[in-house]
Amino acid sequence: MPSLLIIGEERPHLLLRKLTSIGRDAENDVVLKDELIESTHAHIRIEDGRFIIVALKRGQPIWVNGRKIKKQGLEHDDEIKLGETRLRFRLWDEPAPSIERRSFEDEFEAYRRLADFSARLAERQEVSDLFEALMDEVISLTGADKGFLLMVDEEGLLSVRTARNIQRETIDEGLDDVSDSIIKKVLTTRKPLIVSDALNDTYFQSSRSVLQLKLCSVMCVPLIFQGSLLGLIYVGNNNIVNLFEQRSLEVLSVFASQAAMLMEHALQREALSHDNARLRQALEGQRFGEIIGSCDAMRLVFRKVEKVAATDISVLILGETGTGKELIAREIHRRSPRADGPFVAVNCGAIPESLMESAFFGHRRGAFTGAVDNKMGSFQAAHKGTIFLDEIGEMPVHLQVKLLRAIQEKMITRIGDNKPTRVDARIVVATNVDLEQAIRDGRFREDLYYRINVVSVHLPPLRDRGEDVVVIARYLLHTFAEELKRPVNGFSNEALIAMRKHAWPGNIRELQNRLKKALVLAEGVKITSDDLDLDEEALSDRVLPLADAKEAFQRRYIDQILALNDGNRTKTARDLGVDPRTIFRHLEKNRKDE
């Protein structure tokens, strides 16, 4: 391999460029620390296959084999003197005693450049910029003067993704025909290939790439990750034969095997980004504020919300657990004249009965044991805004009287206080309980029901929303994938079918939980029905008698609501509107079946 060796040093400077600069400045290709040498003293050019050394100015003398020259062709083993520095020109390598050390240095350099490429990858650059960085490192590592990155697309077709030269520039000349014999052989065998003297090689001298690019030396290695062929790295030099050796091919293969993994991650990230962009664009026509949906039932909900939001009337939101009742309440507030005021959400089912009155209306210091400070209640906190009372069906009857007074008179009285306080808050409530049945059972006041139910909004369950389940699932998948930093970019066809067939008793909350678990456990880039735990249940085509199907659904449904309530049997009974003994009998039957 043509090189310059500074006499007294061990490592030669390879002559890989058409023009190699020699001088004292650090920008030169060969830097000589000699005060008698100019900043850029000489050039070595390749002309018609020969290496020519040229002095740049009259006052910059050069001696070759003891004779002062201005310009001269170099022969193997010529001695060159610039200032006080002596160099030796070598047209080919000579046996070196430190082959093992050189091999180690080559491999170390490959890993160093791979680390540089990996660092760029971590900077989240555009994939095209990363691929250019990859080829720049490959060209610098191998001594090639041009290189091409060819990638396999989703349809299995091969195309040139990046073409670079030794000056780290994108080049116009390229591989017009990717069915080239060299490329075809590497694609077929999936093994790296080296052609030392391409123009005279009996097998490859007619290769289109060799003829088109006038290449003397060629290397081509596959990019394989987890058994999949991602593409090829193709590098060449059009001036020097026998430039690439078997050791060069081994080092490039090591580089390529590691780079393939990094490239796959970059491509997955690019695909995820494109999917996100397409999803955002698709969602533009399917969003209502923070709510996603385009089925007829949801469009009716949206129209009703738009109408009631501009007024100040009370709204009752009805729907199963997990249908998004709070999102609807927030959208009513956001579209109302009170949008600049506070939105205070209170979950009536999550507050202990002994603390509920204080939570709603506040208390004065010393009003009861533990009341060490004055406390503002939720109604006061919602002044000039909206108060959202979720699970209002869980409110004790004696507190319903005080709530009714607060709604009617817009006045509240803190515990321990005799003076009422005026509050101006819009009331929006929600429940999954049948309030009319609760009235008949004496668990809910009829006069309060008519106060809160001026307008009701009924949210359909997810199973009745058609393709909305897929749209919402895709949106949530991309959101959670970014949060959890998981390289997942979609669903398998089986998973989409399973989601459409599943009853979703827990609605959107259940969908969120299943997706998060699937993202953590998934091993591929697509979520499968197995990852969602929907395969057996959703894809079964077994026909059952109607009575057996009803029983199977009821058992499965109770189990799912129990899971959503963390095994709380009493709350599950309330959610399902059944006697708690029904849940106990269900659990007892499950134990006997086991």
Side-chain angles (χ1 to χ4, degrees), residues 329-340:
R330 289 183 180 276
E331 198 60 31
I332 290 172
H333 173 72
R334 193 179 71 83
R335 294 169 181 265
S336 76
R338 296 173 177 266
D340 293 333

Side-chain angles (χ1 to χ4, degrees), residues 23 76 154 183 206 208 215 232 254 333 431 516 552 592:
H76 179 68
E154 294 179 355
I183 295 170
S206 60
R208 289 187 178 90
L215 297 176
L232 305 173
V254 169
H333 173 72
T431 185
K516 286 183 178 179
K592 288 180 180 178

Side-chain angles (χ1 to χ4, degrees), residues 358-363 373-382 414:
S358 173
F360 283 158
F361 308 121
H363 61 253
D373 288 305
N374 292 332
K375 179 187 174 184
M376 177 188 293
S378 299
F379 270 83
Q380 279 184 286
R414 294 185 299 174

Side-chain angles (χ1 to χ4, degrees), residues 519-553:
L519 277 166
V520 172
L521 300 179
E523 296 182 354
V525 296
K526 300 285 185 185
I527 293 293
T528 66
S529 54
D530 286 337
D531 295 328
L532 292 166
D533 282 341
L534 293 178
D535 53 325
E536 295 180 4
E537 177 183 7
L539 297 178
S540 175
D541 293 323
R542 186 165 60 96
V543 176
L544 295 173
L546 183 58
D548 292 344
K550 285 181 178 179
E551 182 183 357
F553 171 78

